[in-house]
Amino acid sequence: MERKRTVIYLVVGILVLCSGVVGLIVKMAAGTRGPVGDGSALTPQAGSCRHALDMGATTPEARGFPPTFGGRYAMCTKAHEIETFFVGRVSASLSAADAEKEIDGTCRVEADKFLGGPRGTGRVATTSYMEENADHLAKRWFSCEVAEVGNAAGTTLVTRTGSLRGALAGPGPVVLGCANSAAHDFVFLPDCAAPHTAEFVGLYTLADDANPADDEARDRSVGAGCQKAVTDFLGWDQRTFESSDLIDVTFWGPGAAEVRDGNRVFQCFVTTVEDRKLTGSLKGLGAGKVPVAG
């Protein structure tokens, strides 16, 4: 039996002007540390919300999270895109590189607490900012930020009128479901009723002893883990999956540098072959017919 093909997408970097798959932005739900803010005009406050950019911005930086901490503040019950969920201070004993790693880890932990569940299970993106202008590293603040997003690459921030606190504690509109494949991206859908090419099935965590620099080994491990997540989600065995000419598996997550810094969680999706459209959820499909249009 021929081994099943696995399509792979990786998000590797910070904002548009930094590294990323064909320039794609920031941290999807698997978020990483973002751009640096100068802190000269604004100091972040946990529990506050703001707009991503001033109205009328048309530059590439206007996509997704802004490159520096800023934006117009708004009440979290009014229209906004970004919410600050944690603010801290950099540890005095750390080097700049270790400070960034500490910030990454802190924001990942605090994001799951704030959202009420693993951030990778939601249509959310996270980032962080660190103050530049303090005269000593230990005097600098850092902030952890979250936004609802319309796509996996995080380039589309959704305007909301409520906090994301507890949004992933149970079923709800922000929980990740179905999507359509785009160029190195997924465009999220509000539900699985509309035609779609992908459905989120769960998370896979790469083992702590995995070597992030070994791309092939990492991809094999994540691919196998996500394939198991897909078969469990569908209620299929391995043979059924391998014999299907309709269903495939895709994963999305951190690149080597982020894995090395501790971000090891990948999102697993069941996808269609040749972008054929599904007309319903595949959860618990079992012996049923794959709901493919046409």
Side-chain angles (χ1 to χ4, degrees), residues 1-153:
M1 182 73 66
E2 182 179 352
R3 176 175 288 276
K4 191 69 176 176
R5 174 178 62 93
T6 300
V7 181
I8 298 166
Y9 294 93
L10 293 179
V11 173
V12 294
I14 335 184
L15 212 51
V16 173
L17 297 183
C18 300
S19 62
V21 175
V22 295
L24 294 179
I25 191 179
V26 171
K27 20 253 134 236
M28 53 139 324
T32 61
R33 183 180 175 279
V36 174
D38 64 20
S40 58
L42 295 170
T43 299
Q45 294 182 344
S48 63
C49 296
R50 63 189 189 281
H51 292 282
L53 285 174
D54 290 337
M55 297 296 291
T58 58
T59 63
E61 293 89 343
R63 303 173 64 198
F65 288 103
T68 59
F69 183 86
R72 293 179 293 112
Y73 276 100
M75 295 178 62
C76 292
T77 55
K78 304 295 184 181
H80 66 276
E81 290 78 45
I82 299 174
E83 184 170 2
T84 302
F85 62 88
F86 185 84
V87 176
R89 290 281 177 181
V90 178
S91 298
S93 60
L94 298 179
S95 65
D98 285 341
E100 292 184 8
K101 186 174 181 179
E102 181 184 69
I103 291 169
D104 290 346
T106 298
C107 288
R108 286 196 298 270
V109 171
E110 294 298 330
D112 290 355
K113 291 180 183 178
F114 179 79
L115 294 166
R119 59 193 172 135
T121 63
R123 295 188 289 112
V124 297
T126 60
T127 191
S128 61
Y129 299 99
M130 183 171 66
E131 184 180 17
E132 266 191 332
N133 292 340
D135 58 8
H136 190 277
L137 183 64
K139 295 182 179 179
R140 297 180 184 179
W141 53 255
F142 69 89
S143 69
C144 306
E145 316 284 334
V146 65
E148 181 181 348
V149 293
N151 62 332

Side-chain angles (χ1 to χ4, degrees), residues 20-287:
V21 175
V22 295
L24 294 179
I25 191 179
V26 171
K27 20 253 134 236
M28 53 139 324
T32 61
R33 183 180 175 279
V36 174
D38 64 20
S40 58
L42 295 170
T43 299
Q45 294 182 344
S48 63
C49 296
R50 63 189 189 281
H51 292 282
L53 285 174
D54 290 337
M55 297 296 291
T58 58
T59 63
E61 293 89 343
R63 303 173 64 198
F65 288 103
T68 59
F69 183 86
R72 293 179 293 112
Y73 276 100
M75 295 178 62
C76 292
T77 55
K78 304 295 184 181
H80 66 276
E81 290 78 45
I82 299 174
E83 184 170 2
T84 302
F85 62 88
F86 185 84
V87 176
R89 290 281 177 181
V90 178
S91 298
S93 60
L94 298 179
S95 65
D98 285 341
E100 292 184 8
K101 186 174 181 179
E102 181 184 69
I103 291 169
D104 290 346
T106 298
C107 288
R108 286 196 298 270
V109 171
E110 294 298 330
D112 290 355
K113 291 180 183 178
F114 179 79
L115 294 166
R119 59 193 172 135
T121 63
R123 295 188 289 112
V124 297
T126 60
T127 191
S128 61
Y129 299 99
M130 183 171 66
E131 184 180 17
E132 266 191 332
N133 292 340
D135 58 8
H136 190 277
L137 183 64
K139 295 182 179 179
R140 297 180 184 179
W141 53 255
F142 69 89
S143 69
C144 306
E145 316 284 334
V146 65
E148 181 181 348
V149 293
N151 62 332
T155 53
T156 304
L157 304 190
V158 175
T159 299
R160 297 177 49 81
T161 55
S163 172
L164 284 165
R165 182 182 294 276
L168 302 181
V174 184
V175 174
L176 190 54
C178 291
N180 275 317
S181 303
H184 304 289
D185 199 0
F186 288 122
V187 178
F188 300 144
L189 299 174
D191 55 51
C192 293
H196 56 276
T197 61
E199 184 173 3
F200 173 70
V201 301
L203 302 175
Y204 174 77
T205 301
L206 191 65
D208 289 341
D209 60 356
N211 178 8
D214 188 340
D215 292 344
E216 291 186 4
R218 183 187 69 231
D219 292 349
R220 284 196 303 270
S221 178
V222 179
C226 282
Q227 185 169 304
K228 178 63 164 56
V230 165
T231 55
D232 288 348
F233 184 82
L234 271 65
W236 285 5
D237 58 22
Q238 182 69 19
R239 178 176 294 181
T240 303
F241 175 81
E242 290 183 346
S243 64
S244 173
D245 60 358
L246 297 174
I247 296 303
D248 210 337
V249 55
T250 298
F251 63 82
W252 182 287
E258 293 158 282
V259 171
R260 186 175 56 251
D261 287 341
N263 183 8
R264 294 173 172 265
V265 179
F266 292 77
Q267 293 174 312
C268 305
F269 292 84
V270 57
T271 58
T272 57
V273 174
E274 297 178 350
D275 287 336
R276 297 183 67 177
K277 295 290 187 178
L278 296 165
T279 57
S281 174
L282 296 178
K283 185 174 178 62
L285 181 66

